[in-house]
Amino acid sequence: MLTNGRQVVSMDEGWRFQPDAANLGEQGEWQAIGLPAPLNVTVPHTWNVQEGLEDYRGTGWYEYTLSIPEEWQSCRIRIHFEAIYRDAVIWVNGHQSGSHFNSGYTAFEIDLTANIQCGVENRITVKVNNSNSDQALPLGNSFDWADDGGIIRPVKLIVTGQTAIKHIKVSPEVQFGQGDNKATGKVNAEVYLCEPSAAATVEIGIFKDGERIWYEVRPLPPQTMTWQLTDVQLSPVDLWHFDHPHLYRLELTLREKEQIKDRVAVNFGFREILVKGRELWLNREPVRLMGVEWMPGSNPVTGLAEKQEDLIAMLERLKEANCVITRFHWQQGSELLDWCDRNGILVQEEIPHWQQPDEPDQNTFTLALSQAKEMIADHSHHPCIFAWGMGNELNGQSEITLRYMEQLKQEILQLDSSRLVNYVSNTIHFQPGTDATGAGDLLMWNDYIGTWHGDLDEHEVIKKIISDYPDKPIVVAEYGLCEPIYEGGDPRRTEILLGKTEIYRQYPQFAALIFFSLNDYRTQMGEDGEGKLKQRVHGSLDIYNRVKPSFAALREISSPLLLAGAPVWHEGELEVTLKCRNDIPSYAVQDYYLTVSSADERVSL
């Protein structure tokens, strides 16, 4: 029996791995199929950065042995995979206990209770396959990032009482007052249980900066599977903002007859983000934002099996570049999003529907909606996520694609009505008014005029888009230089960054710019390098996180502050005048500090 209601055990250490190119293993048994000795590995793990397996797509086996103590005899025992790329079947002591197909970046859990044995060693076996698939998203080999196979994110064992929380969907609401404009907050939540309880209570605590600010005990209705937490009012509240990422924590404790059965804590934040005409508003302020897209999984040492320190190193680069908004072509892990919550980065997280099929059908819709449900269920509490993305670079000029995006958006809004929903287009410059990106809350445009899109007149294209959508904000979701297809190197990359940014700044309809990309990135369709070094040279950092000259240009052009003239000495005092930009980026700057350096000393003001 557990005394604190929940124990979470890391299962990252102690795995064994074995490739199985002939797919000989069956029913979780792979020791006797004549393969070489398995390797001892640590999860997250991918075989596609190992020597000899860089280009291997097929079956890999993982095995883990664990002892379950006798005191867990009456407990519920689950295993949580943050992500396996891609198709996975899981056995426990030779019994198939679960599977997860067609989605390689979303988290899933499997209840092991029926097949686990207490007081003895247990064997967990996982069969993974990363072969190209026409039944998954991303489809086949159409996508522009690495397809590293394996258990690519952390694994945890979750031990609770039989009455346990499966997951919590927190829905904070912001209410703005009159005059002083101080905000109050309302907390609603849906609590999903593993099984109904005959009689239980829920202790509810809300915390800010480690201090409990609200507490109540409520009965859990008998035989319920979904419990609604409503009408929790907090006043005033500190709003989440990329410059001031204030977080709260909701903690729930389930009790049956005074015994704690489960305890779960979820971080969340209060913030409002919405579209008003041609403007994007954050917490009742119109904002124009500068961002950059980072392609994870690009360091050839780790591939997509990045550890937390790898993720943080790249996210710190993103913030160092003064960028506050980004997007990901595929779903990310909780550790990455937790960092964005704590440090202030706005994120559009997307279903990995990349180019193919260019005219989606009902099968594609079913796959996309399934992934949307998993993504939203797992990540809806993250205040950093401001929008869900439905796909990237399909045939946006097709009416089929437009109707598909309209239908998918309505389904996503049923899952989460508090965020924006968008489709990213690389075709809006043809006939803007009929393009599928119009189905989204924002027009999201991958602009490669001058390279992929030919030598069009940038101003004419922009004016046509604005004419067709006079009351809708535009976000440039990608712009940059892709080598080696297009020449010019980093000097041309800087030229594109500076030149296009200055054009966009001339039009108030542009709400955000996302440069592509922060880094050169590993991709299975890369034109440069081989094996685990196969890549596209598209970034201001190389694949080892080393800066190029264009990084300094990105950092400077993304600053919300400008130096108004040269610093001057006046009567023994140094006078420095700063001003806020009024184009892109443009937002209120509060609680910043200025560091002045000279050859002799460094002073912060």
Side-chain angles (χ1 to χ4, degrees):
M1 180 181 296
L2 300 175
T3 57
N4 65 348
R6 173 175 286 225
Q7 184 167 340
V8 179
V9 181
S10 171
M11 293 178 61
D12 292 349
E13 303 285 343
W15 290 87
R16 296 194 300 163
F17 166 74
Q18 178 64 71
D20 182 9
N23 201 25
L24 299 174
E26 293 292 339
Q27 298 180 351
E29 299 292 340
W30 52 276
Q31 294 89 341
I33 59 179
L35 296 172
L39 299 172
N40 295 320
V41 299
T42 299
V43 167
H45 173 264
T46 174
W47 60 72
N48 291 111
V49 296
Q50 293 182 203
E51 185 176 356
L53 296 176
E54 294 92 340
D55 297 315
Y56 174 59
R57 295 178 180 88
T59 297
W61 292 89
Y62 291 86
E63 185 180 75
Y64 190 94
T65 303
L66 73 162
S67 296
I68 302 296
E70 289 283 1
E71 55 263 33
W72 291 0
Q73 185 71 47
S74 60
C75 294
R76 180 181 299 277
I77 300 173
R78 290 173 283 164
I79 188 170
H80 179 92
F81 293 96
E82 191 69 23
I84 295 178
Y85 190 82
R86 188 198 52 247
D87 296 336
V89 184
I90 295 91
W91 287 265
V92 178
N93 297 324
H95 300 282
Q96 185 171 329
S97 298
S99 60
H100 191 248
F101 293 104
N102 303 325
S103 180
Y105 309 111
T106 51
F108 64 98
E109 281 185 4
I110 294 173
D111 196 320
L112 308 181
T113 309
N115 295 319
I116 213 79
Q117 299 177 26
C118 295
V120 298
E121 284 196 340
N122 293 261
R123 183 165 55 89
I124 297 176
T125 310
V126 183
K127 180 181 181 181
V128 181
N129 191 291
N130 74 329
S131 301
N132 293 333
S133 172
D134 291 332
Q135 303 301 316
L137 286 178
L139 182 68
N141 65 348
S142 66
F143 52 98
D144 188 19
W145 57 87
D147 56 348
D148 295 343
I151 304 178
I152 61 170
R153 292 185 189 143
V155 183
K156 296 176 182 177
L157 198 71
I158 301 172
V159 186
T160 65
Q162 289 295 329
T163 299
I165 296 171
K166 192 171 185 178
H167 72 267
I168 304 171
K169 180 183 178 183
V170 185
S171 302
E173 298 178 17
V174 182
Q175 299 164 334
F176 291 91
Q178 301 294 326
D180 60 7
N181 207 37
K182 286 189 176 181
T184 61
K186 181 179 179 182
V187 181
N188 298 313
E190 290 182 280
V191 182
Y192 299 85
L193 304 179
C194 292
E195 68 175 35
S197 171
T201 58
V202 184
E203 293 180 18
I204 309 154
I206 297 178
F207 297 78
K208 177 72 167 65
D209 299 326
E211 179 183 352
R212 192 172 72 185
I213 60 173
W214 195 91
Y215 177 79
E216 192 171 294
V217 179
R218 298 185 181 182
L220 183 68
Q223 306 305 315
T224 186
M225 291 291 290
T226 305
W227 180 71
Q228 304 287 334
L229 171 64
T230 58
D231 300 325
V232 177
Q233 302 282 344
L234 302 176
S235 179
V237 293
D238 294 322
L239 299 179
W240 188 96
H241 186 279
F242 49 78
D243 276 346
H244 306 283
H246 296 290
L247 292 175
Y248 291 76
R249 188 174 86 252
L250 173 66
E251 186 174 296
L252 301 181
T253 302
L254 291 187
R255 291 181 183 269
E256 282 185 346
K257 299 178 180 179
E258 301 304 315
Q259 291 184 348
I260 298 176
K261 297 298 182 178
D262 199 5
R263 175 178 284 139
V264 181
V266 178
N267 291 332
F268 67 97
F270 292 98
R271 59 109 182 91
E272 179 188 70
I273 190 160
L274 48 83
V275 169
K276 285 190 174 184
R278 68 184 188 184
E279 294 179 326
L280 181 66
W281 284 54
L282 174 63
N283 299 334
R284 298 294 169 95
E285 176 199 359
V287 295
R288 303 180 73 192
L289 308 175
M290 191 71 194
V292 66
E293 184 175 346
W294 158 47
M295 297 291 280
S298 292
N299 190 312
V301 176
T302 58
L304 280 173
E306 293 163 303
K307 306 291 193 295
Q308 187 172 12
E309 56 267 28
D310 305 317
L311 301 172
I312 291 174
M314 293 302 298
L315 289 165
E316 287 177 338
R317 285 291 197 196
L318 196 152
K319 288 290 285 189
E320 183 185 348
N322 291 316
C323 292
V324 299
I325 185 170
T326 192
R327 58 181 286 240
F328 293 105
H329 286 300
W330 64 97
Q331 300 94 341
Q332 300 303 308
S334 60
E335 290 178 339
L336 185 156
L337 296 173
D338 285 341
W339 197 94
C340 294
D341 285 342
R342 295 192 307 271
N343 294 276
I345 298 176
L346 287 165
V347 172
Q348 175 166 297
E349 188 176 33
E350 299 175 12
I351 300 165
H353 189 181
W354 198 90
Q355 290 198 350
Q356 298 296 324
D358 61 353
E359 290 188 338
D361 55 18
Q362 187 58 45
N363 181 61
T364 312
F365 184 87
T366 301
L367 286 170
L369 184 56
S370 174
Q371 289 199 19
K373 289 178 178 178
E374 290 186 328
M375 174 175 70
I376 293 171
D378 205 41
H379 293 163
S380 63
H381 65 281
H382 290 285
C384 68
I385 298 178
F386 77 97
W388 305 114
M390 299 183 286
N392 180 77
E393 296 189 354
L394 310 183
N395 181 3
Q397 293 287 290
S398 165
E399 186 175 352
I400 293 174
T401 307
L402 175 60
R403 300 298 169 236
Y404 171 91
M405 294 302 168
E406 290 173 340
Q407 182 184 4
L408 184 57
K409 179 184 177 182
Q410 293 308 309
E411 292 289 343
I412 291 175
L413 288 174
Q414 292 295 315
L415 301 172
D416 179 12
S417 61
S418 67
R419 287 177 171 87
L420 308 180
V421 183
N422 304 306
Y423 160 67
V424 182
S425 174
N426 66 339
T427 55
I428 189 175
H429 51 275
F430 292 121
Q431 294 292 333
T434 58
D435 196 85
T437 193
D441 293 302
L442 300 167
L443 301 175
M444 301 199 77
W445 176 30
N446 290 347
D447 173 19
Y448 290 105
I449 292 174
T451 55
W452 296 104
H453 295 160
D455 294 324
L456 303 176
D457 186 300
E458 189 91 41
H459 288 281
E460 285 187 6
V461 169
I462 291 172
K463 289 175 182 177
K464 176 61 174 170
I465 294 173
I466 293 172
S467 174
D468 286 358
Y469 299 96
D471 295 319
K472 209 161 200 177
I474 305 170
V475 173
V476 181
E478 292 181 22
Y479 64 115
L481 177 69
C482 187
E483 303 175 73
I485 293 294
Y486 293 97
E487 298 177 347
D490 206 54
R492 190 180 180 194
R493 178 170 297 106
T494 302
E495 179 185 344
I496 290 172
L497 168 64
L498 299 180
K500 283 184 176 282
T501 301
E502 287 306 317
I503 291 174
Y504 303 142
R505 282 172 168 167
Q506 298 174 35
Y507 298 91
Q509 285 81 1
F510 285 93
L513 311 178
I514 303 176
F515 187 64
F516 190 77
S517 67
L518 179 65
N519 58 325
D520 299 339
Y521 58 97
R522 294 175 62 248
T523 169
Q524 51 90 28
M525 62 168 53
E527 299 90 356
D528 192 56
E530 297 180 354
K532 65 181 181 180
L533 297 175
K534 195 173 185 180
Q535 62 187 281
R536 279 187 158 173
V537 183
H538 215 143
S540 294
L541 308 169
D542 70 9
I543 56 175
Y544 298 102
N545 194 7
R546 296 177 299 210
V547 300
K548 304 177 189 179
S550 61
F551 182 81
L554 175 64
R555 183 180 183 185
E556 182 174 351
I557 206 168
S558 301
S559 172
L561 295 171
L562 295 174
L563 188 63
V568 296
W569 287 97
H570 180 69
E571 297 181 354
E573 294 183 352
L574 180 64
E575 292 184 358
V576 179
T577 303
L578 299 176
K579 66 177 182 178
C580 291
R581 295 200 68 101
N582 61 0
D583 42 42
I584 301 176
S586 176
Y587 47 84
V589 174
Q590 299 175 348
D591 300 327
Y592 279 53
Y593 65 88
L594 172 67
T595 298
V596 180
S597 299
S598 69
D600 299 321
E601 61 181 318
R602 181 182 179 93
V603 180
S604 293
L605 306 173

